[in-house]
Amino acid sequence: EMQRSLVGSEMCIRDSFLTVAMFFKTVLLKRHRKRLFQMQLQLHAFSLTIALTLTAKLFLTLGIKFF
């Protein structure tokens, strides 16, 4: 619905913004792909650690032995 209401210059501004955003995304990915991948791995590991810690605490609270 929002796109239907955009006219002329508004669509041009939107499209220009998207083009610039995609350009910077492409440049950043090319330059920093390895670092971004390492950060993603660290984030996944951190998320897994939190999930396991919360699960362990829940099990302990409920009196469930998991070992």
Side-chain angles (χ1 to χ4, degrees):
E1 290 183 29
M2 184 179 157
Q3 285 187 347
R4 289 184 205 158
S5 66
L6 295 178
V7 291
S9 61
E10 292 171 330
M11 290 180 73
C12 186
I13 291 168
R14 182 205 61 194
D15 293 344
S16 296
F17 174 78
L18 292 174
T19 302
V20 170
M22 288 301 295
F23 171 76
F24 280 111
K25 179 183 174 188
T26 303
V27 169
L28 288 173
L29 279 175
K30 283 183 179 178
R31 289 185 181 171
H32 304 288
R33 184 177 303 273
K34 185 176 180 180
R35 180 67 184 132
L36 289 171
F37 182 71
Q38 290 170 342
M39 290 171 65
Q40 286 178 328
L41 289 178
Q42 291 170 352
L43 181 59
H44 288 302
F46 182 67
S47 299
L48 182 59
T49 301
I50 290 174
L52 290 173
T53 301
L54 292 175
T55 302
K57 287 185 178 186
L58 177 63
F59 281 11
L60 288 172
T61 302
L62 297 174
I64 301 171
K65 294 183 180 181
F66 52 93
F67 282 91

